[in-house]
Amino acid sequence: MFKIKSQGVFVIALLFFTSCVSTNISSKGKTPSWVTETEHEYTKNNLCAVGIATTLDQANSIAISNIGKIIKQKIESEITVVNSEKLNSTGNAELSSSMNQIVRTSALIDNLVGVEIAETWIDRDGNYYSLAILNKAKTYLYYSQKISENEKIIKENINLTTSDKDKFYIYGKLQNAVNLALDNESYLDVIYAVNKASYTVTAKTMTKSNDIENIASDFARKISITISGLENEERIKNYFYKYFTSKGFSVNAPQQDYVFEIDMKIENTSSKVNNDEKNQSINNVVKKNEEVKEKSVNKSESGNVNESHE
């Protein structure tokens, strides 16, 4: 475990977020090794991907996109192995949870920071080649720091369950902790792709989102809610009853902590539009009357001026 002072974090973030897009296009000499070889000087410390297109901008975009595809392939491969092991041992692969995590991580990768265009090249036929790189050490440092920061907040939020603060406030903080844990799991996926050796060590420092959801559900059982209002709309009340009970809340218990009052208003939107049009028409009439009045005043003043000259 390591700590970085705020000044250091700023410097690291500045270096990490700075995108270096090369404008010096090489077109002389032999073909660069990064175009023809899978292993070259850049692969030692980076994930690398090449983009090929008829314009430089397109080649850059394709190269950056290919970095994301490499990470996704590594992650999906690992999830497939894990699910296969679970299926063999328990008969339940929990595929829905894994697919949700893939979707969440994919959204993160689509906006991945730290990707740089290291080199570009143009061949004799006018095709552009771009080399995109993602530094493994910087990426690991950045996302491990994000995990550490989130984990601190997660633990603080969980510790609130033993405090005397408002119960709904605490429940909201637990939901926040769940979201932070889900973010951390996506960050961990990226770490797996760039530093597999540190994946397990980092994972052991994290609180799982499923564990926090269980804590939130247990805490919700301590909160009793009474649903009131809409006495003749049992279907709507029943919807809210099912929602709260699915989250673990004690609903309509004899002793109540909170009253959830439902109110519903049905409004004719077409009448509202007609009223708006009517108001606009009135405003137009008033505006025209004011313009006519102003013209009359101006004309009168003009007449007075002429009379004075006579």
Side-chain angles (χ1 to χ4, degrees):
M1 183 64 67
F2 57 88
K3 294 183 179 179
I4 303 175
K5 294 182 180 179
S6 58
Q7 184 179 1
V9 173
F10 174 78
V11 173
I12 290 170
L14 183 63
L15 291 173
F16 190 74
F17 278 86
T18 301
S19 176
C20 178
V21 179
S22 174
T23 57
N24 183 20
I25 306 171
S26 173
S27 59
K28 297 180 180 180
K30 64 178 183 179
T31 304
S33 60
W34 56 266
V35 173
T36 57
E37 305 293 334
T38 56
E39 298 291 333
H40 45 80
E41 59 176 316
Y42 287 101
T43 57
K44 295 177 182 179
N45 301 312
N46 307 283
L47 290 181
C48 301
V50 176
I52 308 171
T54 55
T55 68
L56 179 60
D57 287 343
Q58 288 179 340
N60 287 345
S61 296
I62 293 171
I64 292 170
S65 176
N66 286 341
I67 287 285
K69 289 179 181 178
I70 291 172
I71 294 176
K72 288 179 183 178
Q73 288 173 356
K74 288 177 177 288
I75 295 168
E76 289 171 6
S77 175
E78 173 64 12
I79 289 176
T80 300
V81 172
V82 171
N83 280 337
S84 177
E85 292 174 353
K86 286 183 179 179
L87 185 62
N88 292 334
S89 61
T90 65
N92 181 9
E94 301 177 358
L95 290 177
S96 60
S97 176
S98 297
M99 288 306 298
N100 288 338
Q101 186 60 30
I102 289 175
V103 170
R104 194 177 183 95
T105 302
S106 294
L108 170 67
I109 293 171
D110 288 340
N111 297 284
L112 194 66
V113 295
V115 181
E116 302 175 3
I117 299 298
E119 287 197 36
T120 56
W121 181 73
I122 182 171
D123 64 17
R124 293 179 179 178
D125 297 325
N127 296 311
Y128 289 87
Y129 294 73
S130 294
L131 172 65
I133 63 172
L134 181 68
N135 185 275
K136 296 178 183 179
K138 289 181 181 179
T139 303
Y140 167 72
L141 181 61
Y142 176 78
Y143 285 108
S144 62
Q145 182 68 22
K146 294 283 286 184
I147 288 174
S148 179
E149 291 170 357
N150 283 351
E151 194 62 31
K152 180 181 178 181
I153 299 173
I154 288 170
K155 285 182 167 54
E156 289 174 353
N157 289 356
I158 292 175
N159 289 337
L160 288 173
T161 56
T162 59
S163 71
D164 57 355
K165 292 184 177 294
D166 180 81
K167 291 180 180 178
F168 245 118
Y169 170 81
I170 296 173
Y171 181 79
K173 287 294 185 179
L174 290 175
Q175 293 304 313
N176 173 253
V178 171
N179 290 329
L180 291 176
L182 288 170
D183 287 342
N184 279 355
E185 287 164 8
S186 294
Y187 300 155
L188 184 66
D189 285 341
V190 176
I191 286 177
Y192 174 82
V194 299
N195 193 336
K196 189 175 180 180
S198 299
Y199 172 83
T200 304
V201 176
T202 305
K204 289 180 179 179
T205 67
M206 293 168 44
T207 307
K208 296 180 180 178
S209 59
N210 288 340
D211 292 342
I212 306 173
E213 287 176 347
N214 291 334
I215 293 172
S217 181
D218 290 340
F219 187 79
R221 293 188 183 93
K222 302 176 182 179
I223 304 174
S224 58
I225 299 174
T226 296
I227 301 175
S228 66
L230 300 181
E231 301 304 329
N232 298 322
E233 297 290 344
E234 291 299 323
R235 182 186 298 180
I236 296 176
K237 291 177 67 175
N238 190 48
Y239 168 81
F240 285 102
Y241 175 85
K242 289 181 178 179
Y243 173 79
F244 282 118
T245 53
S246 69
K247 298 297 181 181
F249 292 97
S250 177
V251 182
N252 295 337
Q255 183 179 359
Q256 61 187 32
D257 295 315
Y258 301 92
V259 175
F260 185 79
E261 187 170 347
I262 307 171
D263 188 20
M264 181 174 65
K265 180 181 179 181
I266 299 177
E267 186 178 275
N268 189 332
T269 55
S270 61
S271 298
K272 186 177 184 299
V273 172
N274 290 336
N275 288 334
D276 290 342
E277 291 175 350
K278 187 185 295 183
N279 292 334
Q280 184 63 39
S281 298
I282 293 172
N283 290 335
N284 289 338
V285 170
V286 172
K287 186 176 180 180
K288 286 181 180 179
N289 288 337
E290 289 176 349
E291 290 174 353
V292 171
K293 184 178 179 181
E294 184 178 352
K295 287 180 180 179
S296 299
V297 172
N298 291 338
K299 186 175 181 182
S300 175
E301 291 176 350
S302 176
N304 292 335
V305 171
N306 291 334
E307 289 174 2
S308 63
H309 282 298
E310 291 176 357

